[in-house]
Amino acid sequence: MTDTSSQQEKLRQHFARRVTTQARVVLETWQKFLEAGEPPPGLREDLMVTTEKLVKYARRFEMTDHEAAGDSIRTALEIWPEGRPINTEIRENLQRGMDQLSRCTLRRSDQQEDETPRTWLRTPIYLAFNDSDYAQRIIRQMEFFGFRAAAFATPDELDAECARNKPETIVIDVDFGGGEATAGIATMERIQQRHETPIPVLYMSREDGSIETRLRAVRSGGEEFFYQALDPGQLIEKIEHYSYAHPPDPYRVMVVDDSKAQAKYIENVLQKAGMRSRVLTDPMEVIDALDEFSPEIIILDMYMPGCTGTELAKVIRQQDHLHSVPIIYLSAEEDVSKQLHAMSMGGDDFLTKPIDAKHLVATLHNRGRRARSLLALMIRDSLTGLYNHTHTLSLLESEISRAHQSGQPLTFVMLDLDHFKRINDTYGHPIGDRILKSLSLFLKQRLRKTDHIGRYGGEEFAIVLPDTREEDALGVMNEIREKFSQLRQPAAGTDFHVTFSCGVAQWWGESPQELCERADTLLYGAKSEGRNQVVAGD
Ligand code: GH3
Ligand code: MG
């Protein structure tokens, strides 16, 4: 490098640092709000000032990713009226901008050799193990799965980092930090005091703890207590379980009440509880709204002009796919026999007016949770948690009709593990099952939230990629294939590797069945070409 070019490079790095520092200021302001749960006074203005600065620097120093992310945040802020509280929509828009921004800062500093979709969108997972080699091994495995993890050597370091950035999950040795046998629990007790909603903790113990120890662990946020050595795969599966559940998507609640004041009141309650709502004051609009909003819970007023709540419930229940959506009636009706009658007409609960906000929110949470777990039983495969065959096909059908309307591309992928029979034969069926789970986790982590992943059959998976062209899908699937093939699968004291093959087909206007067949043919092309590859159409 000549003198001047090295000078220029230094100067560029200096400026780049200014942009990344400013990006961090924006992200920290947002992070503080998320941790506090309540917007601090002047949040909108703070974000506006810091983001303006970010965009200005990024533009000047030609860092286009940062500029684009800053622009998205600024746009989200502009539609947030001054002096008004933040609402779910604004919050979601801002979160998207923040995700975009954190993606560009982290990618740069972590020097990932290539893009890892969704990897850095998430808050980190902290590991606190006495054995730092083991921690590093877990981190490397976790990175394959798209998790971002950091290890800490002392309780103080862990504590300090938790104060700066609340993690999604902590995995900690019960005796972390040495000294007392329960030093790790004591550390967690201290850390949890700072947070209103506790951080989920997975405890690792070398011995089966006493009931006192286990109780203390539970009280300090302990979700799991492992006293046998876990292999990285099992541990990651547990981490995924707790991390995926936090935070869950907000419940979608539809409210039908002809009284504008009452409807507004409920809408406010739902919004404060972080739920998404659709309020209708005209029951005649219900059918269209059901299709468009697809609620998970429905609240119906009992007496409305034009029809009653029970009649409306019957109409809703006549649609197969709405059969299990909980319906809650609202009424000033105190007559128990009338309430019972209403319940027999397809309702699940009855709330009397005036409604207590806390009671309403608690009812919705209970109903929503139950509805989601019932739905999961119907549409998901129990081993992997992915969509089952039937539901995957019905998602493919609806995405095809969406693509037809929007003119956006749609790609379908069939995937099959290579020589899986041999793996079962060599290592046993339980190891085979674990590989199926590990692949599904891998796919979930690396694909977008809008993609649909299904277990199509035994060791065959199907993936629906909306708004995706064939060549892009080919790129993504190839990257996943390569990363998955590098993953070490531990079994009986050794490690081995597993590969898969894929057929990738873009929808060209044919029927869902024809599209599946085409993808399947391509998949078998990949098999006969030697496996461990992704084959696209023409
Ligand atoms: P190819 O590369 O051609 O796909 O070879 P393969 O061995 O993967 O294909 P084959 O169709 O011959 O065998 C599939 C194996 O998958 C046979 C079956 O025992 C196994 N399998 C199917 N479902 C499950 C499951 O749920 N758990 C486990 N462990 N194995 C399964
Ligand atoms: Mg196979």
Side-chain angles (χ1 to χ4, degrees), residues 307-321:
C307 73
T308 65
T310 43
E311 287 167 343
L312 207 51
K314 256 183 138 171
V315 170
I316 293 170
R317 289 285 188 237
Q318 279 166 0
Q319 310 190 40
D320 276 350
H321 64 287

Side-chain angles (χ1 to χ4, degrees), residues 27 85 100 132 148 170 173 188 190 211 214 221 234 242 313 316 323-324 330 364 367 377 381 411 514 531 534:
L27 289 168
Q100 194 182 344
S132 63
R148 178 177 155 214
I170 294 180
D173 280 333
M188 280 320 309
R190 206 168 64 229
I211 179 72
R214 283 177 174 251
Q234 286 169 305
Y242 293 103
I316 293 170
H323 216 79
S324 58
L330 285 185
L364 290 173
R367 290 287 166 195
L377 279 180
D381 159 57
T411 298
E514 284 164 334
R531 299 181 171 78
V534 183

Side-chain angles (χ1 to χ4, degrees), residues 218-238:
V218 165
R219 289 183 186 134
S220 60
E223 296 285 352
E224 297 275 357
F225 192 99
F226 304 114
Y227 79 95
Q228 281 153 338
L230 281 183
D231 69 51
Q234 286 169 305
L235 179 59
I236 289 165
E237 203 179 293
K238 294 289 180 189

Side-chain angles (χ1 to χ4, degrees), residues 416-417 419-421 424 429 433 455 458-459 527 531:
D416 186 284
L417 284 161
H419 297 305
F420 197 56
K421 190 170 175 326
N424 270 324
H429 216 261
D433 282 358
R455 186 172 175 210
E459 24 89 71
K527 291 277 183 186
R531 299 181 171 78

Side-chain angles (χ1 to χ4, degrees), residues 36-95:
E38 296 243 347
L43 173 68
R44 181 182 174 281
E45 289 65 33
D46 279 356
L47 285 173
M48 194 63 109
V49 171
T50 49
T51 308
E52 292 275 359
K53 219 184 232 179
L54 167 70
V55 174
K56 203 169 73 191
Y57 289 166
R59 188 171 303 144
R60 193 178 314 154
F61 308 129
E62 293 175 353
M63 290 171 69
T64 46
D65 287 357
H66 287 79
E67 187 185 337
D71 270 336
S72 318
I73 298 171
R74 200 166 51 179
T75 313
L77 287 167
E78 274 162 4
I79 53 171
W80 177 1
E82 231 175 309
R84 295 289 298 275
I86 191 164
N87 64 26
T88 318
E89 190 189 345
I90 297 168
R91 191 184 160 132
E92 282 174 0
N93 287 340
L94 281 169
Q95 186 63 54

